[in-house]
């Protein structure tokens, strides 16, 4: 039982009681509005002064869960009402019994689209479908870190400061999710995430960077386990990626996912995370993925091919030139490597690839000009023969015999 003063929102200055550790949901059924009050530092703090829609789905989650109590906004013209938990359950059951298919879809809708992206909400609903013990621990919360939206945080917050990709994407959407579940499920899913992170699975590591900053859970039901996929050094990991001990013990019963803010609205990226959680093979995901990013090996091929075409191959018509047939072979191999590597790359890579291919075309176009410039209309056959011999080397005799037959 938690009793304390409310700060902010419609109950500002009033004292309320919650039977559950996280706080309470304040609902106003006549107007269809709701506010979350989070319990911390011996008081209740409104999560967002702006109300969110009081959907049936939101009320059901809180009413049957064990983290948030449900209170009704007092009617100033009526006698005070303390807890609306039973009233909310009754109203929700009545609404659900009258709902048709379209209404049920609405009941499952995002409770706070102004703070929770459709992609993160889909991550939760899809996970909930295949994990029977799953409960939503929360997405948006007015506190430091990824549960809050970037524009509400100072630049010094670690979810803004450390990783460049966290300064991309939406500034008004939360970028974390807590998934509560059974002990066995905690061990199972934490283990899957850990294996994928350590193997640099492309479902978690895209060419644009890791989808997750970190995940926190437990692999043995007794010790909290955190793995940082990127930005580890500012957290004291000692490397860009690796285990980070000492996280809060609440993660023994819920998995926390910090999503790099660049990806918080990108379902194709979050679908890779869901694939790891589901336990499907990489090949199955690659076969059905909308994202289908390059593997790390393909990304390396692309970098190598760019270096080969733009830097390493000598110009056949300038300084450091090589025989034309050698140059052509190198270019052919480089183009094949590019063709193998290219998948759904970002715009910057596409632009660079186009520059590489244009450079190849310029080199190819220069070869006929070289041949034309070597022979003028007034040249004598002897002059032409001398120049051809210099160009053809030990192939001059064979080429001359072919020309003589023709």
């Amino acid at each position: 039982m938690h009793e304390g003063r409310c700060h902010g929102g419609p109950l500002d200055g009033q004292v309320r009681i919650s039977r559950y550790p996280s706080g309470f949901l304040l609902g106003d059924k006549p107007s269809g509005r709701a506010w979350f009050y989070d319990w911390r530092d011996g008081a209740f703090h409104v999560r967002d002064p702006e109300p969110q829609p009081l959907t049936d789905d939101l009320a059901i989650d809180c009413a049957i869960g064990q983290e948030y109590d449900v209170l009704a906004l007092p009617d100033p013209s009526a006698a005070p009402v303390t807890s609306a938990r039973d009233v909310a359950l009754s109203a929700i059951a009545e609404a659900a019994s009258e709902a048709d298919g379209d209404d049920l879809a609405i009941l499952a809708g995002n409770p706070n689209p102004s703070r929770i992206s459709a992609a993160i909400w889909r991550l939760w609903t899809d996970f909930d479908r295949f994990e029977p013990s799953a409960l939503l621990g929360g997405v948006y919360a007015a506190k430091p870190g990824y549960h809050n939206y970037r524009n509400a945080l100072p630049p010094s917050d670690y979810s803004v400061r450390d990783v460049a990709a966290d300064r991309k994407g939406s500034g008004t959407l939360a970028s974390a999710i807590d998934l509560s579940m059974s002990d066995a499920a905690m061990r199972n899913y934490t283990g899957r995430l850990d294996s994928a992170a350590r193997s640099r699975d492309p479902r978690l590591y895209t060419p644009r960077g890791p989808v997750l900053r970190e995940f926190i859970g437990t692999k043995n039901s007794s010790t909290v386990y955190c793995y940082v996929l990127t930005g580890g050094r500012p957290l004291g990991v000692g490397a860009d990626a690796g285990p980070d001990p000492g996280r809060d013990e609440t993660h023994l019963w819920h998995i926390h996912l910090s999503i790099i803010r660049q990806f918080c609205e990108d379902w194709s990226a979050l679908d890779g995370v869901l694939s790891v959680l589901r336990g499907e093979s990489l090949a199955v995901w690659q076969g059905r993925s909308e994202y289908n990013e390059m593997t790390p090996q393909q990304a390396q091929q692309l970098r190598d091919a760019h270096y080969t075409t733009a830097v390493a191959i000598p110009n056949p018509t300038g300084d450091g030139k090589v025989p034309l047939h050698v140059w052509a072979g190198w270019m052919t191999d480089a183009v094949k490597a590019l063709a193998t590597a290219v998948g759904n790359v970002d715009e910057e890579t596409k632009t660079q690839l186009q520059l590489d291919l244009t450079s190849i075309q310029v080199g190819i176009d220069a070869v006929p000009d070289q041949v034309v410039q070597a022979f003028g209309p007034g040249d004598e056959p002897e002059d032409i023969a001398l120049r051809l011999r210099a160009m053809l080397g030990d192939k001059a005799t064979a080429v001359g015999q072919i020309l003589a037959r023709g």
Side-chain angles (χ1 to χ4, degrees):
M1 191 76 69
H2 301 281
E3 180 176 357
R5 189 171 301 277
C6 299
H7 296 276
L11 297 183
D12 188 41
Q14 301 182 35
V15 176
R16 285 294 183 271
I17 296 174
S18 172
R19 294 169 292 175
Y20 297 99
S22 296
F24 61 84
L25 173 73
L26 177 68
D28 182 25
K29 189 175 179 182
S31 67
R33 299 178 300 164
W35 298 260
F36 270 106
Y37 279 79
D38 297 303
W39 174 258
R40 66 176 185 273
D41 301 325
F44 297 104
H45 300 264
V46 70
R47 186 180 297 176
D48 190 337
E50 294 297 320
Q52 65 184 76
L54 178 62
T55 64
D56 292 318
D57 190 59
L58 175 65
I60 289 172
D61 284 343
C62 292
I64 66 176
Q66 298 295 314
E67 293 192 356
Y68 287 90
D69 210 340
V70 179
L71 306 182
L73 182 68
D75 182 351
S77 63
V81 179
T82 54
S83 174
R85 188 179 182 82
D86 295 334
V87 176
L89 282 171
S90 176
I92 291 164
E94 180 182 355
S97 67
E98 298 174 355
D100 57 23
D102 291 336
D103 290 331
L104 288 174
I106 294 173
L107 292 180
N110 187 336
N112 190 357
S114 67
R115 295 288 179 258
I116 303 174
S117 73
I120 290 180
W121 188 248
R122 181 176 174 182
L123 177 65
W124 153 243
T125 56
D126 282 12
F127 179 78
D128 185 40
R129 288 191 183 99
F130 65 79
E131 175 45 52
S133 70
L135 293 171
L136 179 61
V139 177
Y140 167 68
K143 60 182 183 181
Y146 289 87
H147 278 294
N148 208 341
Y149 56 98
R150 187 175 61 240
N151 291 354
L153 296 169
S156 59
D157 187 275
Y158 91 108
S159 71
V160 178
R161 175 195 65 207
D162 299 339
V163 179
D166 279 327
R167 295 187 288 277
K168 300 178 182 179
S170 172
T172 60
L173 294 170
S175 202
I177 186 168
D178 289 339
L179 302 170
S180 300
M181 61 197 79
S182 68
D183 285 348
M186 286 291 297
R187 296 192 299 271
N188 185 29
Y189 295 116
T190 304
R192 288 176 179 175
L193 288 166
D194 190 44
S195 296
R198 289 177 178 273
S199 66
R200 297 188 69 84
D201 191 304
R203 289 171 289 183
L204 299 185
Y205 287 87
T206 77
R208 286 184 287 161
V211 178
L212 301 178
R213 170 74 180 275
E214 65 206 345
F215 62 85
I216 316 173
T218 181
K219 297 192 290 184
N220 58 12
S221 298
S222 60
T223 304
V224 173
Y225 180 81
C226 172
Y227 192 93
V228 180
L229 284 77
T230 186
R233 291 185 187 278
L235 303 178
V237 171
D240 189 51
D244 182 16
R247 299 302 183 103
D248 191 277
E249 288 191 355
T250 60
H251 299 103
L252 291 175
W253 58 85
H254 80 266
I255 290 177
H256 168 88
L257 303 176
S258 292
I259 299 164
I260 293 294
R261 295 185 185 276
Q262 179 181 14
F263 296 110
C264 79
E265 295 182 276
D266 188 344
W267 169 247
S268 296
L270 296 188
D271 182 46
V273 178
L274 184 70
S275 174
V276 170
L277 291 170
R278 186 183 283 118
E280 69 181 358
S281 69
L282 175 59
V284 169
W285 173 77
Q286 287 175 326
R288 68 170 178 80
S289 173
E290 300 171 9
Y291 205 42
N292 198 24
E293 288 262 22
M294 292 181 292
T295 65
Q297 292 78 13
Q298 288 174 316
Q300 185 61 51
Q301 278 184 304
L302 183 60
R303 288 191 292 270
D304 290 346
H306 163 60
Y307 178 80
T308 301
T309 57
V311 179
I313 295 181
N315 188 334
T317 63
D319 294 338
K321 63 183 179 181
V322 298
L324 185 58
H325 69 282
V326 175
W327 178 85
W330 288 346
M331 278 299 185
T332 299
D333 291 342
V335 171
K336 287 180 179 177
L338 287 171
T340 301
V342 173
N344 292 329
V345 298
D346 56 33
E347 291 302 319
E348 182 178 355
T349 306
K350 288 179 181 177
T351 300
Q352 184 59 60
L353 176 58
Q354 186 59 53
L355 291 174
D356 291 345
L357 294 176
T358 300
S359 176
I360 293 173
Q361 186 63 54
V362 169
I364 293 172
D365 290 344
V367 174
D369 290 339
Q370 181 189 19
V371 175
V372 169
Q373 292 168 7
F375 309 107
D379 289 335
E380 296 295 329
E382 291 81 2
D383 295 328
I384 294 174
L386 288 173
R387 292 175 188 169
L388 279 174
R389 178 172 293 280
M391 293 175 64
L392 297 175
D394 57 6
K395 301 293 184 182
T397 301
V399 171
Q401 291 172 349
I402 294 171
L403 290 173
R405 290 200 302 268

